Amino acid sequence: MNKRLSDNTNIHLINGNEYNGLPILSKFTMSANYLDRLVSTMQKAIDEYRRTYAIRFDLTVPIWMGELDSALISRFFASLNAQIQADLKHRAREGKRVFPCTLRYSWAKEQ
């Protein structure tokens, strides 16, 4: 069932266990707009690399750090990307095979 979010009519909500032929968790109402972006991100990764590894993780910010904002997320992913690149350099110095790695991500703030 498609409907729009009352606060933002640009967001289309869907219910069900499938979206564009892909299985989704049916116990949640999902945003078709966000699912489109997720599928697009995954498709770009698969188009670039035949072997693609996807990980989901949840960041928890301590109360004393304040609100979770896009700057914090950007710093997190910049740090993660730097660690990946450092590991690739380290492995190359050891003479091991190294393949290029493009980090792609999608994130959402839970309400």
Side-chain angles (χ1 to χ4, degrees):
M1 176 179 165
N2 287 342
K3 60 182 180 177
R4 291 179 185 257
L5 189 62
S6 60
D7 295 340
N8 184 345
T9 57
N10 293 322
I11 296 180
H12 298 271
L13 301 177
I14 60 167
N15 291 315
N17 56 3
E18 190 174 285
Y19 180 73
N20 288 349
L22 299 170
I24 59 173
L25 295 174
S26 60
K27 64 181 179 178
F28 298 109
T29 300
M30 305 271 188
S31 164
N33 308 63
Y34 297 156
L35 289 171
D36 285 339
R37 294 293 298 266
L38 285 169
V39 170
S40 173
T41 301
M42 290 188 304
Q43 192 59 51
K44 287 177 185 176
I46 292 167
D47 289 345
E48 186 173 355
Y49 306 111
R50 280 186 29 189
R51 293 181 176 181
T52 299
Y53 189 72
I55 299 174
R56 177 206 161 158
F57 51 92
D58 300 320
L59 298 178
T60 304
V61 178
I63 294 172
W64 60 266
M65 285 189 69
E67 276 291 309
L68 178 70
D69 63 353
S70 60
L72 180 64
I73 297 297
S74 296
R75 288 194 312 273
F76 171 79
F77 281 107
S79 173
L80 179 59
N81 194 40
Q83 291 177 46
I84 291 170
Q85 297 308 317
D87 181 61
L88 294 177
K89 281 184 182 178
H90 177 74
R91 290 173 55 199
R93 280 194 304 266
E94 291 178 343
K96 296 179 181 176
R97 285 195 334 186
V98 176
F99 298 98
C101 175
T102 303
L103 178 64
R104 289 185 167 75
Y105 63 92
S106 295
W107 74 276
K109 182 178 176 182
E110 193 172 276
Q111 299 288 328

